[in-house]
Amino acid sequence: MYERDVLAGNWRRPLKGKIPQVPAELDLVVEDADGGFCGAVVACDKEAVTLEDRFGRRRLFPLEPAAFLLEGKVVTLVRPAAAPQSPRRSASGSIAVEGLRAQVAKESRIYVEGIHDAALVEKVWGHDLRVEGVVVEYLEGVDHLPSIVEEFGPGPDRRLGVLVDHLVPGSKESRIAAQVSSPHVLIVGHPFVDVWQAVRPSALKISSWPSVPRGVPWKEGVIAALGWKLEPGDAWRRILGSVTTYADLEPELLGPVEELIDFVTVPGEDG
């Protein structure tokens, strides 16, 4: 019935050029053509592949030509091509610049109210600011903002961005900010009483930031309500330590900071 003996010759080794090459991707199930061991690929390097059978037993096989069966057909397993690596991201979500070297700081600046604001901005946007050569400084409050802006001397090539806490209509901060009208200055803010609240409660594993009664110092009231046996400085370190990326911050802070960075770094017409 047959023209030739189907078992004649090396049936596991088809003619040269007829053997398909298959990447040894994880979980691919193949059979060792010589010994019959059948298993899924669990590891592969440039010389060998490791298979694991349904009983959890593992065996290492060299990546030789036509050494495996895939769905009953002889194949040559090859090492999978390395997946293209995604660019590393900074804490702000931007593409990180590898091998960054310090550069001379630009004349433009970003001012924030306090040292906690500066620390938070540095932790999330520090890489971006170093790429751009922009320095962040803190003011210890905004009561004297108009005179500070005048002393800075903003201009087309010397822009100033200011981040203000609790910048809401009718607040003391909004009245002070309204006194500054230079086209070379951008004042933005967030609605929170303190920058602590700009950290998402989920990052700290709390349900929400507690409400503090009028007349009670805000930070101390928050610490007491949360049951933390900490001084404000230690509490802040705990809060800052919970922040790893921009995703740990509220959008009401993210937007204004990004706006400030754009303002002091992107060339454009003022006014």
Side-chain angles (χ1 to χ4, degrees), residues 227-243:
W228 293 354
K229 305 300 183 183
L230 299 170
E231 293 298 319
D234 295 323
W236 169 244
R237 282 186 282 276
R238 178 173 178 172
I239 294 166
L240 186 64
S242 72
V243 176

Side-chain angles (χ1 to χ4, degrees), residues 9 21 27 40 65 72 76 84 94 119 127 138-139 146 170 172 182 194 196 246 269:
Q21 291 189 339
D27 297 326
T76 296
S94 64
H127 175 84
Y138 66 93
L139 303 172
K172 176 193 75 171
S182 170
D194 191 278
W196 287 20
Y246 70 96
E269 294 183 2

Side-chain angles (χ1 to χ4, degrees), residues 49-115:
V49 62
T50 301
L51 303 183
E52 181 180 291
D53 70 9
R54 61 193 180 95
F55 302 107
R57 295 175 299 193
R58 294 190 176 190
R59 287 187 58 183
L60 184 69
F61 297 93
L63 289 177
E64 295 179 345
F68 300 91
L69 300 177
L70 176 61
E71 297 179 351
K73 297 180 180 179
V74 180
V75 297
T76 296
L77 289 187
V78 295
R79 188 180 186 184
Q85 291 187 345
S86 299
R88 190 173 66 86
R89 297 280 175 174
S90 70
S92 72
S94 64
I95 296 177
V97 177
E98 304 294 345
L100 176 65
R101 293 184 178 181
Q103 59 174 301
V104 177
K106 291 181 172 63
E107 291 190 44
S108 296
R109 290 286 188 275
I110 291 177
Y111 286 171
V112 298
E113 279 204 49
I115 191 169

Side-chain angles (χ1 to χ4, degrees), residues 1-267:
M1 295 177 63
Y2 299 99
E3 296 182 357
R4 61 183 179 86
D5 184 355
V6 294
L7 299 181
N10 190 345
W11 65 274
R12 295 188 187 276
R13 300 291 188 267
L15 295 175
K16 185 177 180 181
K18 302 286 186 179
I19 307 170
Q21 291 189 339
V22 177
E25 303 284 358
L26 293 179
D27 297 326
L28 177 71
V29 178
V30 294
E31 179 183 348
D32 167 39
D34 289 326
F37 184 90
C38 182
V41 174
V42 293
C44 184
D45 59 27
K46 63 181 180 180
E47 295 180 349
V49 62
T50 301
L51 303 183
E52 181 180 291
D53 70 9
R54 61 193 180 95
F55 302 107
R57 295 175 299 193
R58 294 190 176 190
R59 287 187 58 183
L60 184 69
F61 297 93
L63 289 177
E64 295 179 345
F68 300 91
L69 300 177
L70 176 61
E71 297 179 351
K73 297 180 180 179
V74 180
V75 297
T76 296
L77 289 187
V78 295
R79 188 180 186 184
Q85 291 187 345
S86 299
R88 190 173 66 86
R89 297 280 175 174
S90 70
S92 72
S94 64
I95 296 177
V97 177
E98 304 294 345
L100 176 65
R101 293 184 178 181
Q103 59 174 301
V104 177
K106 291 181 172 63
E107 291 190 44
S108 296
R109 290 286 188 275
I110 291 177
Y111 286 171
V112 298
E113 279 204 49
I115 191 169
H116 292 179
D117 306 70
L120 191 57
V121 169
E122 162 60 28
K123 184 157 191 182
V124 176
W125 289 275
H127 175 84
D128 308 56
L129 293 167
R130 283 187 287 278
V131 169
E132 300 291 349
V134 174
V135 173
V136 174
E137 300 178 9
Y138 66 93
L139 303 172
E140 298 183 347
V142 294
D143 290 350
H144 305 290
L145 183 60
S147 60
I148 290 172
V149 171
E150 184 178 357
E151 181 181 353
F152 178 80
D157 299 317
R158 185 177 169 81
R159 292 180 168 191
L160 177 62
V162 184
L163 180 69
V164 178
D165 296 343
H166 198 229
L167 190 63
V168 295
S171 67
K172 176 193 75 171
E173 292 81 1
S174 66
R175 292 192 293 272
I176 293 173
Q179 299 174 38
V180 179
S181 59
S182 170
H184 313 302
V185 178
L186 176 64
I187 300 175
V188 297
H190 57 74
F192 308 116
V193 174
D194 191 278
V195 77
W196 287 20
Q197 285 182 298
V199 178
R200 290 188 169 186
S202 57
L204 286 158
K205 296 180 173 53
I206 60 176
S207 59
S208 63
W209 286 102
S211 235
V212 177
R214 283 184 175 273
V216 177
W218 192 84
K219 288 184 174 70
E220 286 77 2
V222 165
I223 293 169
L226 292 175
W228 293 354
K229 305 300 183 183
L230 299 170
E231 293 298 319
D234 295 323
W236 169 244
R237 282 186 282 276
R238 178 173 178 172
I239 294 166
L240 186 64
S242 72
V243 176
T244 55
T245 73
Y246 70 96
D248 296 319
L249 303 182
E250 298 287 2
E252 291 88 346
L253 178 67
L254 294 173
V257 174
E258 295 286 353
E259 191 177 357
L260 288 180
I261 294 174
D262 287 345
F263 180 77
V264 299
T265 58
V266 178

